[in-house]
Amino acid sequence: MITSEQYRQIQECKDDGLTMAETGRRLHIPASVVRNWWRKSEEDFYKSMRGTVYDLDNYRQYIIELIKACPTITNTNLMTQLREEFADFDATYSTFNRYVKNLRVQAGLSQPKRIRCIRDDQPPGYEAQVDFGEYRMRNMYGKETKVYFFCMVLSYSRMKFVYFSTKPFTAKTAIEAHKYAFKYFGGRPQVIMYDQDKVFVVAESYGNVILVKEFDEFVKDVGYSLFICKGHDPNTKGRVENTVNVVKRGFLDGRTYYGIDRLNCDALNWLDTTGNSIVNDYTKRTPKELFPIDNKALVKVRFQEKPIVQVLTMHAGFVEFRDNRYEMPQENLNDGERIRVELQEDTLLFFVALTSDLICKHALCNEVGRTIKLPKDRIPHHKIETDMLRFYKDNPLAIEFIAQLKIMRPRYIHKQLQLLKKASVFYTEGQMNSAFEYCINTCECTTLELLSFLIYKYGKDSFYDCMGNYAKSNYLKRSREIQEAFNGRDF
């Protein structure tokens, strides 16, 4: 192959009337090479050299600038950034590798050698390794920005995951990173290896490891084992230490910082297209090829967010939560009443602490110093009682149940009748009558007993349609107790 300058000189010699042999001697090019290009057009020449190392000269200066900015940058990372910046870039890895190798020699920018070591194999789904890293990036204005990242790698397949943060990781943010990793992999391994990082470990005394409380609870909830080793120990935790280095050299080197969300999105794209698609030197296969075997052995994990619960005291008809005052219905509540507050997503649920009866709901206010009042269209106490008595005027069982309900729950009759009204919509008259009869016979005329019996007798579906997720644990627990009391006997 000749350069574009040599092709131009051959054509100039041809135009000057020189023979092929004379042209070869003048340009110091073999006669066979001159003969090959003697009659070919310029279009043929550039078409034939497309995708070769000489075509890469168009990107020469850009490559040199990246190498100067980061001498340890890998050829794979260079190719990734060229593809991102130039839509017309098209070269095979082997061709690009040879070109960059020669370019480094010509420019005096040789790459430092890295030492690799072989580690023991682990069965699929058994082990993962975790480590942290940090890196200084330059943003679009040329200023330095420090980012921190969490890495997890599966030992069998070498499947990698990385998550970035603008702040150093704490136990709380590290737990979130674990959750993202388990979702990315589709499960958790049996054992995860860590070093003695203060994010996870409080102290170690003669092999007795004391974990940070939040992290210790997370490990117990998820159910995996952990192994604590010394930091920078390639013999035990070398896979993830190598992954940290790969993230730095293969992804971050030469990259501009445009914000943490953009960085995490780019990282996931890099993992899918490059990070987990490169043939491992030891396994001779890519992580993506081995991952299906690893994935089958992982344990599936489901994370359920626990509601925030506080017990507060009502004063002057209001409960103060997060520097805001929320109005309570005062028909059946007195000052000093203990109120349990549960935050579920953006909704606050207020319960009587002793009985777990729902009092009211409020939308969470994200400001401070505000007073949130009840809606003006709330149904008055006497109005709903009148409505229910009118609805059941021809049903003696229902009338008796409501009368007993007023005796047993006088302070909470308003809420009890609201629940009864809901149940009357979703259950048939026969089903409600069987529940009324049961409650009257057992002298337990409350909506808790009524709905629990309906669950026992007619299943959960209608109950969920009626009540949704409201305090369902109380009703389900009581329905099981009723089932045990009947022991299979019909009512």
Side-chain angles (χ1 to χ4, degrees), residues 6-18:
Q6 289 174 321
Y7 172 81
R8 185 183 60 78
Q9 291 174 346
I10 290 173
Q11 297 304 315
E12 287 178 353
C13 290
K14 176 183 176 182
D15 294 339
D16 291 340
L18 297 178

Side-chain angles (χ1 to χ4, degrees), residues 1-3 48-60 63 89-103 106:
M1 180 62 70
I2 61 174
T3 64
S48 64
M49 81 173 204
R50 185 174 300 278
T52 65
V53 293
Y54 302 102
D55 190 40
L56 295 172
D57 281 336
N58 296 325
Y59 312 99
R60 177 187 177 90
I63 296 171
F89 177 79
D90 183 21
T92 62
Y93 180 77
S94 57
T95 300
F96 184 77
N97 191 44
R98 288 195 301 271
Y99 179 81
V100 174
K101 183 178 180 181
N102 293 330
L103 180 60
Q106 294 169 11

